[in-house]
Amino acid sequence: MNRVEGRVKVTGLATYAAEYPVEAVAYAYPVQSLVAKGRIVRVHDAEAREMPGVLAVLSCEDPPRLAEDAEAELALFQSRDVAYRGQIVAAVVAGTYENARAAAAAVRVEYDPDDHDVALRTGHPGFYRPDVVNPNYPSDTVKGDVEAGLAGAAASVDVTYSTPVLHNNPMEPHAALAVWDPEGRLLVYDSTQGASPDRDTIAQTFGLPGEDVRVVSRHVGGGFGSKGSTRPHAVLAALAARAAGRPVKIALTRQQMFDVTGYRTPTIQRLRLGADAGGRLTAVEHVAYEQSSTLVEFAEQTATPARVMYATPALRTAHRLVRLDVATPSWMRAPGECPGMYALESAMDELACALGMDPVELRVVNDADAEPEGGLPFSSRNLVMCLREGARRFGWRHRDPEPGVRREGEWLVGTGVAASTYPSRRRPASAFVFVRDGDYVVQVAAADIGTGARTALARIAADTLGVPPDQVHVELGDSDLPEAPVAGGSMGTASWGSAVVRACEELRNGDGKEGRADTTGEVGNDAQLARHAFGAQFAEVRVSSVTGEIRVPRLLGVFAAGRIVEPELARSQFIGGMTMGLGMALMEETLTDEEFGGFLRRDLAQYHVPACADVPDVEAVWLDEQDGELNPMGSKGIGEIGIVGTAAAIGNAVHHATGHRVRDLPITPVRILSRF
């Protein structure tokens, strides 16, 4: 299928959050803190209030009314305390965007600053063990005797890896348009990955009944997790509209997005692995250190992939968190699995070198027939098939295992491999299907964040109804439609699709006119199984011995992700994730300003992401995997597994090319040259 929304997008007719036509709209522009920690003494806004077109100034001097239990990141202007540099401390509302921005620049905030701490570092005295890590995994797990397993190993590695702050940077900036009606009901056009949960959070923040809030988000220009929960801009739009007495629009600049829309926490990860002479693991220990803000605890599940990947008699995983004077981290594509698998798969490569063993074979001999941590059976697991098929397609058998010996002029050439995994979840959802003018209309409050959700759901409905896809019309992106969970965690299609299938079945088996479904009971009765997609990534790199430049002429991913609903969409998702993984490996990094707090590299001129020229040959294929335990479609999520493993495959290839191991991402020319 072609994307069903393709025409409206390429002709410019698709409407995004900042583009809805509303009469008499005003504009809000935020004022951000210039200190990382302290208290606001006074907000000097008299000059701003006298400027042309200004309708209101919001600040803690006259705190607007919000619910007492509003989340700390969303409780705008309720406190004089400053928790991080870039925090929204005031805002100006004016009749034009230009006037709002000019007046915001005239607002002067007087601070009583305090000493701040913004650096994640080993040995920090503030580290503690959180009770759970995202979303609700136990922080620490132990199985067997790790120390004995390491002591008895024929070969072992004890290595530490780090990943930097990473920012999501979707193409569409975060934006919202808020409209209050005379009865006190609120309509918010928001750029969000979930209209239903966004509505619930906004309602809670304002102390409103859920039915008095509506969120519309029909088209979203990417999110990668940063739009997976309500952000301050949406609350600010609603506060500003209430203060101004007219609709208010806010569109964050790229620089502002770096401060208030979440980011991937930096990590420091220690891995200890031991194996016997045949390569079988005797112990695995994975400990992750990461940061959160003083406002909200967010603990990423960085070490959890080690609980899934490889058979071992002794396994310990742990997370340690420190609360710093920084913005709250949040979800970014494949949270936990992405940085965690980078470290684990890099350590597996180092272990293969220590054993003198092929890195593909090391992974194969340690394949698990049940989940290593708890012993749950897998609904399906075809990691070995992914590794074997990838090795065949990539020409792995011709690889010389000796690192640092292949040279073409100034270029050192190497290849690397890494495995990948991501959970296959689903959550309760509702759907309504009915006949209109001989066609079928599917309604579900799902979100299409550029991944083609409309197309996938149209295919699922058409297959269930036994009709051509062009007879199915999908309506989504509106919280007034049947309840749907967020587009995140690679569970959107599985969750929404399950409800669509059941609603279509009810229509087909009933009066043929309409069908409704709510999968809460069905999902709650899912069997206790370990549900995961698996994959293997292979990379070829060329490293300049003169400049340290790294090029990646080939990337291959082979995946086992259940039934692929729509091949063109799947390929796009896989290669998009792998391209993002290349960026993680070689270029993406947000620096933290330790002197003044806040982030450096706050735009796309400084925060580099891959361009087409960086990925000349990226290929994604998948196995024909049948898994009847997952959902009615037999599908697994594919949006995130593409990024998992890619950075490790590239890092392992860099080692193979140069003979030098870079354990701190990104792998930049400076880091390469420092090792020659």
Side-chain angles (χ1 to χ4, degrees), residues 79 89 139 181 275 299 316 359 427 465 503 572 578:
S79 169
V89 294
S139 174
D181 72 12
R316 176 176 179 259
R427 293 180 62 187
L465 294 168
S572 178
M578 292 167 66

Side-chain angles (χ1 to χ4, degrees), residues 1-70:
M1 292 175 62
N2 288 325
R3 286 177 179 255
V4 298
E5 83 283 12
R7 184 178 181 277
V8 298
K9 283 186 173 177
V10 301
T11 57
L13 297 176
T15 307
Y16 292 82
E19 300 174 337
Y20 283 88
V22 176
E23 292 186 3
V25 66
Y27 297 82
Y29 197 88
V31 177
Q32 297 178 267
S33 171
L34 298 179
V35 301
K37 184 180 181 181
R39 281 185 61 81
I40 297 170
V41 176
R42 185 178 175 186
V43 177
H44 300 272
D45 60 9
E47 180 183 351
R49 291 180 182 275
E50 296 300 319
M51 293 180 70
V54 171
L55 302 172
V57 177
L58 303 172
S59 75
C60 61
E61 296 294 349
D62 183 15
R65 186 177 70 259
L66 287 177
E68 291 185 0
D69 62 347

Side-chain angles (χ1 to χ4, degrees), residues 335-359:
E337 278 72 15
C338 184
M341 284 293 284
Y342 161 69
L344 177 60
E345 290 301 295
S346 299
M348 286 291 285
D349 198 69
E350 297 206 45
L351 182 62
C353 291
L355 287 162
M357 188 172 183
D358 180 84

Side-chain angles (χ1 to χ4, degrees), residues 552-555 575 578-580 582-583 610-618:
V552 184
R554 278 199 301 158
L555 270 178
I575 67 173
M578 292 167 66
T579 302
M580 203 169 179
L582 183 150
C612 292
D614 295 310
V615 282
D617 183 4
V618 55

Side-chain angles (χ1 to χ4, degrees), residues 70-364:
E71 181 188 298
E73 281 276 11
L74 304 179
L76 300 179
F77 319 127
Q78 304 300 294
S79 169
R80 291 183 176 271
D81 292 331
V82 174
Y84 59 91
R85 187 181 178 93
Q87 182 178 344
I88 296 174
V89 294
V92 174
V93 189
T96 68
Y97 175 81
E98 292 79 8
N99 284 345
R101 185 166 184 166
V107 174
R108 185 170 64 85
V109 182
E110 184 181 346
Y111 301 98
D112 179 15
D114 198 355
D115 293 337
H116 60 260
D117 183 0
V118 297
L120 179 70
R121 59 192 185 275
T122 56
H124 194 293
F127 277 121
Y128 69 97
R129 183 181 71 185
D131 293 334
V132 296
V133 293
N134 177 58
N136 56 3
Y137 295 113
S139 174
D140 294 10
T141 61
V142 178
K143 182 187 81 170
D145 190 333
V146 170
E147 298 301 332
L150 291 170
S156 63
V157 295
D158 183 346
V159 285
T160 299
Y161 302 90
S162 73
T163 60
V165 172
L166 298 175
H167 273 86
N168 310 54
N169 278 306
M171 193 184 325
E172 179 203 13
H174 290 63
L177 169 59
V179 184
W180 293 88
D181 72 12
E183 285 72 42
R185 291 188 293 266
L186 174 62
L187 167 62
V188 181
Y189 299 96
D190 192 13
S191 183
T192 176
Q193 293 176 221
S196 298
D198 196 31
R199 172 206 59 203
D200 294 343
T201 301
I202 292 173
Q204 176 191 341
T205 303
F206 282 86
L208 296 171
E211 59 268 21
D212 284 354
V213 177
R214 180 186 177 195
V215 171
V216 175
S217 184
R218 294 193 179 97
H219 295 281
V220 182
F224 311 115
S226 69
K227 299 175 183 175
S229 57
T230 303
R231 299 300 180 191
H233 73 277
V235 175
L236 177 55
L239 287 174
R242 190 169 67 184
R246 55 195 275 194
V248 170
K249 180 186 298 186
I250 179 171
L252 296 182
T253 66
R254 182 65 57 179
Q255 291 84 358
Q256 290 165 349
M257 288 168 59
F258 275 75
D259 295 322
V260 296
T261 66
Y263 59 93
R264 195 193 300 282
T265 176
T267 70
I268 302 168
Q269 303 176 57
R270 184 184 181 191
L271 275 293
R272 294 198 295 163
L273 309 180
D276 63 21
R280 295 189 179 276
L281 289 166
T282 57
V284 173
E285 181 184 58
H286 190 171
V287 182
Y289 301 88
E290 52 202 40
Q291 72 185 35
S292 191
S293 71
T294 59
L295 290 176
V296 178
E297 180 185 273
F298 180 85
E300 187 153 322
Q301 68 277 27
T302 307
T304 59
R307 304 173 188 176
V308 173
M309 282 305 296
Y310 300 115
T312 177
L315 171 65
R316 176 176 179 259
T317 65
H319 299 81
R320 295 296 178 263
L321 192 66
V322 61
R323 308 286 287 272
L324 301 176
D325 303 312
V326 296
T328 307
S330 186
W331 307 325
M332 183 172 176
R333 197 175 201 165
E337 278 72 15
C338 184
M341 284 293 284
Y342 161 69
L344 177 60
E345 290 301 295
S346 299
M348 286 291 285
D349 198 69
E350 297 206 45
L351 182 62
C353 291
L355 287 162
M357 188 172 183
D358 180 84
V360 170
E361 293 306 314
L362 176 64
R363 290 165 171 82
V364 169

Side-chain angles (χ1 to χ4, degrees), residues 453-625:
R454 286 178 178 82
T455 307
L457 293 176
R459 167 66 72 188
I460 290 168
D463 288 350
T464 308
L465 294 168
V467 301
D470 59 8
Q471 281 190 251
V472 177
H473 308 281
V474 177
E475 296 179 358
L476 47 71
D478 188 332
S479 65
D480 278 0
L481 297 174
E483 192 95 3
V486 69
S490 290
M491 63 184 178
T493 299
S495 302
W496 314 323
S498 295
V500 168
V501 167
R502 300 308 182 212
C504 290
E505 289 174 342
E506 184 177 280
L507 179 148
R508 189 185 60 198
N509 299 328
D511 61 9
K513 296 180 180 179
E514 65 176 46
R516 297 180 183 271
D518 179 343
T519 62
T520 302
E522 177 181 333
V523 173
N525 290 325
D526 278 346
Q528 291 296 306
L529 295 169
R531 297 174 169 84
H532 299 268
F534 290 93
Q537 278 97 331
F538 293 79
E540 177 186 329
V541 304
R542 296 166 63 86
V543 183
S544 170
S545 59
V546 177
T547 67
E549 176 188 355
I550 304 167
R551 297 180 182 176
V552 184
R554 278 199 301 158
L555 270 178
L556 168 67
V558 181
F559 304 98
R563 176 198 167 199
I564 299 301
V565 173
E566 191 57 44
E568 287 295 323
L569 296 178
R571 179 179 181 275
S572 178
Q573 284 286 280
F574 287 137
I575 67 173
M578 292 167 66
T579 302
M580 203 169 179
L582 183 150
M584 175 184 176
L586 302 182
M587 54 192 74
E588 294 189 48
E589 180 180 27
T590 308
L591 299 179
T592 300
D593 186 339
E594 294 189 25
E595 183 177 0
F596 297 105
F599 296 127
L600 303 172
R601 296 184 181 173
R602 299 172 64 248
D603 57 39
L604 294 179
Q606 301 174 83
Y607 185 98
H608 295 163
V609 297
C612 292
D614 295 310
V615 282
D617 183 4
V618 55
E619 181 183 4
V621 297
W622 49 86
L623 308 178
D624 182 18
E625 183 178 67

